[in-house]
Structures are given as structure tokens and as C-alpha cells.
Amino acid sequence: MTQRLRYANDTYERDEFGVWRYRWGDPVPGAHDLTLADLLAIHTSDAAATRELGRAELEWLAGERDDIGEVLVQQHGDRTPTTGDLVVGMAAPELHVQLMLTVADVADLAHVSKATIDSYRSRGTLPEPQVQRGRTPLWSRPVIKRWLATRPGAAAEAARREALAARRAHADRVAVAPGAPMRRPA
């Protein structure tokens, strides 16, 4: 099947070649298809989020359809795909729960308060979280890094920090040595 698949609030997209990419086009490092067989091998109650299956896929799973032209499956050479080959999502190292960022983490990286992050979320200026664990939204680090670099005001913020660093460097260069007399600038 050559259809594109979107995942995790449309943050990731599987292209026609089976490569998982960020919304902005870069490939997701270490990403691979999450299949039905992968999910069935998970023995926890906290299974990975999956996509909604289409009618053709449901019919194929129920044995009511043989044609897999509209069914998104992993292809393995000439072997006929089985139900375990059905692609239901994406797995990538950045989506491991211990690597994902909470509201507090995002606030720290953005140098703002958690309330400001909540405000960004309510206004829709922060990307949707990739995962919701209970009531806790979680973002992948690359998505937040991209947002920080491209959000409105990012250029002004970078210029402000650069100017502050330059002032500090200048102050360090003109610092008076201990015991030296201070002079007023002319």
C-alpha cells in the first residue's frame, strides 16, 4: 500500500517508501513500523497508542478480504503478509516515556513558567503532545527543539540572549583587577 500514515497527533508521517518523518520532512532517527504482532507481544496494560484501522484493514483482519491493496502491511520479500504484519503505528527511541518531556521540562527549555506553557497549549501555539499518559501530556525532545527554534519570537529571543552574552563578555574583559583604582568612563 502506498498511502501515507500519520501518527501521534500528526507529528510523524510514514511516507510511501516506509520512512517515518517529522511533519517538517526530516527522517525520525531509529523509527520503525509498529505492527500488530509487536502490540500482541507487549504484556503490559499500558500498550502503545495505535491508529484507527480502515474498513479494508478490518475486513482483511476478519478474513473477509484477500486483496491487500488498501491494507497497510510491512512487506517481507515475496512472503504473503499475515495479520501480524499490519502497521498500526510507529515506534522510535524518542517516544520512550522516560525520554519524553513534561510541561515542566518544556517550560525549563523555553525559559518560561509552566503557566505560560499551559497558555501556549490553550492558544494552540505549542505543538500537540505526542502522547498523553493519564492526564500528563508528553512531547518528544526533537519536536520541542524544533518548536523552540521556529516559534514566533524565537529570532528575537535568540538575539536578546546573544546581546546579553556579548554584554557579559565585554564586562568580563573590562573588569577591574583587585586593588586597581577605578576610573570613570570619559
Side-chain angles (χ1 to χ4, degrees):
M1 176 177 208
T2 58
Q3 97 180 38
R4 291 177 173 256
L5 172 65
R6 291 181 179 227
Y7 188 68
N9 291 324
D10 293 340
T11 302
Y12 308 100
E13 182 176 73
R14 184 182 190 271
D15 67 18
E16 63 271 14
F17 304 107
V19 176
W20 285 97
R21 298 184 177 280
Y22 295 106
R23 184 180 302 166
W24 55 88
D26 294 342
V28 179
H32 61 276
D33 290 339
L34 180 65
T35 65
L36 192 56
D38 296 327
L39 284 182
L40 294 174
I42 297 173
H43 299 293
T44 68
S45 60
D46 189 26
T50 62
R51 67 183 176 92
E52 193 171 316
L53 300 180
R55 181 183 182 115
E57 293 164 323
L58 293 172
E59 289 173 356
W60 181 70
L61 285 172
E64 299 168 1
R65 172 190 285 258
D66 291 329
D67 176 30
I68 62 166
E70 295 180 46
V71 179
L72 185 56
V73 292
Q74 276 188 338
Q75 297 290 338
H76 299 282
D78 292 336
R79 181 176 69 75
T80 302
T82 64
T83 56
D85 296 320
L86 182 68
V87 176
V88 294
M90 178 189 86
E94 70 187 51
L95 293 177
H96 189 283
V97 70
Q98 292 181 330
L99 298 177
M100 298 197 74
L101 303 171
T102 64
V103 169
D105 297 328
V106 175
D108 287 345
L109 289 171
H111 305 287
V112 297
S113 70
K114 292 188 324 185
T116 300
I117 295 300
D118 289 337
S119 174
Y120 290 162
R121 285 188 69 205
S122 69
R123 291 185 304 204
T125 58
L126 182 70
E128 287 290 319
Q130 281 62 69
V131 178
Q132 188 89 12
R133 195 162 168 101
R135 290 181 15 183
T136 305
L138 298 170
W139 291 267
S140 71
R141 190 171 296 275
V143 170
I144 293 301
K145 280 186 169 183
R146 171 74 179 208
W147 171 73
L148 288 170
T150 60
R151 69 182 174 151
E157 176 68 14
R160 186 187 67 75
R161 288 194 185 163
E162 192 174 302
L164 180 61
R167 282 196 305 270
R168 286 182 179 155
H170 177 72
D172 290 345
R173 284 193 306 271
V174 296
V176 177
M182 292 205 46
R183 296 187 189 163
R184 289 199 183 276

